[in-house]
C-alpha cells in the first residue's frame, strides 16, 4: 500500500467525525472497501484522512487522485471551501 503524508494543518481544517460517524465509515469500508479515492497533493492527504487510517488499520486497498495546487495556501483554501465549518 502506498504510504501517504499527513499535514496536521490540513487535517485541522477538516470537520472532525463523531464517534458514530467514524464507526459507520469504518463498518462501510470493511464491508465494501474504500470506494472513494483519497485526494492527495505531493503524496500528502488533502481529503480522506479518516478513510486512510481505516484502510491502513484493516489492510484495505485504496485509490488516490492527485490534485495540483500552486501553494500550500491554495491547498488550504480548497479544503476550507470544500468543507466549510458550521457556525458556532
Amino acid at each position: 500500500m502506498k504510504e501517504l503524508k499527513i499535514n496536521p494543518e490540513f487535517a485541522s481544517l477538516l470537520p472532525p467525525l463523531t464517534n458514530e460517524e467514524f464507526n459507520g465509515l469504518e463498518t462501510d469500508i470493511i464491508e465494501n472497501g474504500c470506494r472513494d479515492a483519497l485526494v492527495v497533493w505531493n503524496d500528502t492527504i488533502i481529503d480522506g484522512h479518516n478513510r486512510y487510517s481505516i484502510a491502513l488499520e484493516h489492510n484495505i486497498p485504496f485509490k488516490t487522485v492527485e490534485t495540483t495546487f500552486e501553494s500550500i495556501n491554495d491547498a488550504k483554501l480548497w479544503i476550507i471551501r470544500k468543507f466549510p465549518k458550521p457556525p458556532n
Side-chain angles (χ1 to χ4, degrees):
M1 252 191 267
K2 184 176 187 174
E3 187 173 329
L4 300 173
K5 299 175 219 163
I6 295 177
N7 179 321
E9 284 186 273
F10 294 162
S12 73
L13 294 173
L14 297 163
L17 298 180
T18 65
N19 287 338
E20 184 178 332
E21 290 169 331
F22 185 88
N23 292 336
L25 179 62
E26 184 173 37
T27 299
D28 183 63
I29 290 174
I30 290 169
E31 291 176 359
N32 302 301
C34 191
R35 295 176 299 202
D36 296 325
L38 284 61
V39 179
V40 298
W41 174 51
N42 298 329
D43 292 330
T44 301
I45 300 172
I46 302 296
D47 174 25
H49 294 81
N50 293 305
R51 286 175 277 143
Y52 180 66
S53 68
I54 292 166
L56 285 182
E57 181 179 341
H58 298 283
N59 200 29
I60 295 171
F62 58 87
K63 295 177 183 171
T64 61
V65 59
E66 184 74 28
T67 305
T68 303
F69 298 104
E70 293 293 321
S71 69
I72 193 167
N73 286 334
D74 288 341
K76 289 179 190 178
L77 188 56
W78 183 91
I79 294 168
I80 291 167
R81 286 181 176 157
K82 183 162 170 96
F83 301 100
K85 290 188 178 182
N88 290 337

